[in-house]
Amino acid sequence: MLRRIMLAAGLLLAGGAQAQQVAPPGPTLSAVRARGMLSCGISTGDPAWSQPDSRGVWQGMDADLCRAIAAAVLGSPDRLVWQHLTGQNRFPALVTGQVEVLTRTTTWTFMRDAQLGLNFTAPNFYDGQGFLVRADSGVTAAKQLDGASVCFVSASTHELNLTDWSRAQGIRFTPVIFADKDEARRAYESGRCDSYSGDASQLAAIRAAFPDPRAHALLPDRISKEPYAPAVKQGDDQWFDIVRYVVFGLVEAEELGITRANAEAMRAESPSPAVQRLLGRTGDLGPAVGLDRAWLLNAIKAVGNYGEIYDRHLGKDSPVGLPRGLNDLWTRGGLMVAPPMR
C-alpha cells in the first residue's frame, strides 16, 4: 500500500513538473507561427460586427475577437489576414484551411457542430431572430406580418426559423432571399420588402446606421435563440483550447476588473491570485496550450475586456446602444461566465 501511495505521489509530482513546460505546438499553431499571421474569417460588411471605418480599418465585435486571438498567439493584434466571407462560403473556408478561425456572427447549432467538420468554441454573444420594419407601417408585433414580404440572408439559420415560426403562428410570408447581409439591407432600405429579418443585434446595428434610424422600428418579438461562437476546424484540440480560452479570458478579465488601460498595472500590483494567474505573473495557463504566460495579457491590452468590446461596438459607447441583457456577466444576471482559470 505504501509503495502504491509513493508511486502515485511520484506521478503527481511528475505531472506537475511537466505542466510547467511549454506544450509543443500543434499543427494549427505551428502553421500560424510559420506564416507570422492569423487568417480570420469575418463578414463582407456588418455594422457593429465587422465593417471598415472611415480609414478603412475593420472594426466590430468579430474583428476585435480576431485581434485578441492574434495578440494572444503572435503577440500583436495587427498580425492578421482578413478573409471576408459570405454565409455560403464561410464553413468551406474554415474546413479547407483558408482561415484558422471563423468569427463571423455564426450561430452554434447541433447540425453545424455535428456535420460540418468544425467545432464551436465558446459563446461570445447571445442573440435571437427579430424583425425590422418601417416605423410608419403600423406594424408593432411580428404576427401582423401575415402576407408581408420579408428579406433575409440565405445559408443562415433565418430561413428555417421563419418557416417554423410562421407555421406555428398560422401565417404566411413571401421570402425575399439574398446572398449576403449588405444586399438584404439595401433591398429592405429601397422598399423591396416589408420587413428585414435577422438576428436582433445586427438589425439594431443596421438601424443605427441608416440616415434616419427613427424611420425604422425593431419589433420586440424574438422567434429563436442564436448563440454566437467562434469556430475552428475539427482535429486540433490545442487550437480549440486557445481560441476558446481567449473568449473566456476576456470575460474573466471583466469580472476581475482588468481593463485595457490597467492590465499592466494590475499584473504588477494586484494581490489577487486570480488576477496574477490570468495575466501570467504566476501559473502556467499559456504554456499549457503552447503559448507564453503573457498571452491573455496581450489579448486584453489589444482590445480590452469583454465589456469594453461590447460597449465600444454595441453598447453605451456605440450608436447602437443595445443593453447588455443576456450578454452581461453572470454576476449581474447575464449568461457570460468563464470556467475557473486555474
Side-chain angles (χ1 to χ4, degrees):
M1 177 64 74
L2 180 59
R3 177 177 173 79
R4 287 199 295 270
I5 293 172
M6 291 176 68
L7 285 171
L11 288 171
L12 287 172
L13 288 171
Q18 188 176 15
Q20 294 174 4
Q21 304 299 315
V22 178
T28 308
L29 181 56
S30 295
V32 170
R33 283 178 171 167
R35 190 190 313 123
M37 304 288 281
L38 172 71
S39 182
C40 197
I42 57 174
S43 76
T44 56
D46 195 357
W49 292 95
S50 52
Q51 184 160 289
D53 62 16
S54 59
R55 300 169 298 154
V57 179
W58 285 80
Q59 304 288 354
M61 293 279 288
D62 287 342
D64 272 356
L65 183 52
C66 291
R67 290 188 175 97
I69 298 166
V73 173
L74 297 170
S76 169
D78 301 320
R79 303 194 69 81
L80 280 165
V81 177
W82 300 112
Q83 299 286 354
H84 305 293
L85 306 174
T86 66
Q88 292 91 337
N89 66 16
R90 56 182 162 171
F91 298 125
L94 181 62
V95 298
T96 60
Q98 181 183 342
V99 299
E100 282 89 34
V101 60
L102 176 68
T103 67
R104 187 193 176 279
T105 53
T106 298
T107 299
W108 184 348
T109 72
F110 174 86
M111 295 303 288
R112 287 173 173 177
D113 208 343
Q115 293 192 330
L116 297 185
L118 54 85
N119 284 324
F120 290 95
T121 55
N124 68 322
F125 193 82
Y126 293 93
D127 211 340
Q129 187 170 341
F131 298 89
L132 193 65
V133 299
R134 289 165 189 81
D136 62 5
S137 67
V139 175
T140 58
K143 286 184 178 180
Q144 296 174 273
L145 292 172
D146 190 17
S149 56
V150 180
C151 285
F152 58 89
V153 177
S154 64
S156 69
T157 57
H158 301 150
E159 184 169 11
L160 180 59
N161 292 339
L162 282 167
T163 301
D164 288 349
W165 170 77
S166 64
R167 285 176 179 171
Q169 298 297 323
I171 67 174
R172 295 182 179 181
F173 69 93
T174 301
V176 186
I177 308 172
F178 297 90
D180 65 44
K181 298 171 186 176
D182 202 42
E183 286 184 275
R185 175 193 58 77
R186 289 197 302 268
Y188 165 75
E189 194 173 13
S190 68
R192 288 181 60 187
C193 45
D194 302 309
S195 174
Y196 181 12
S197 186
D199 295 344
S201 68
Q202 297 176 48
L203 298 179
I206 288 168
R207 177 181 179 273
F210 281 149
D212 183 9
R214 294 172 299 178
H216 306 269
L218 180 59
L219 299 182
D221 307 78
R222 300 293 179 268
I223 66 170
S224 71
K225 51 187 177 184
E226 307 289 331
Y228 295 169
V232 297
K233 184 180 178 180
Q234 285 181 357
D236 189 338
D237 288 350
Q238 181 191 69
W239 186 249
F240 172 87
D241 285 341
I242 288 171
V243 174
R244 188 184 207 190
Y245 279 92
V246 167
V247 177
F248 285 142
L250 298 176
V251 173
E252 181 85 343
E254 182 182 8
E255 185 177 339
L256 295 173
I258 305 168
T259 68
R260 193 178 193 175
N262 72 14
E264 283 282 10
M266 290 196 72
R267 183 180 188 275
E269 301 167 6
S270 174
S272 165
V275 170
Q276 292 177 6
R277 280 193 300 270
L278 192 74
L279 299 180
R281 187 177 177 188
T282 63
D284 294 289
L285 298 183
V289 290
L291 303 176
D292 64 30
R293 288 174 174 79
W295 66 306
L296 290 174
L297 172 66
N298 292 335
I300 296 161
K301 286 170 59 179
V303 297
N305 64 41
Y306 179 82
E308 290 180 281
I309 299 169
Y310 185 101
D311 287 343
R312 186 160 59 242
H313 300 300
L314 282 172
K316 61 184 180 64
D317 300 327
S318 77
V320 183
L322 196 67
R324 289 283 293 268
L326 295 178
N327 298 292
D328 212 339
L329 294 177
W330 68 283
T331 54
R332 298 194 291 255
L335 297 179
M336 300 309 294
V337 59
M341 303 290 283
R342 59 176 184 266

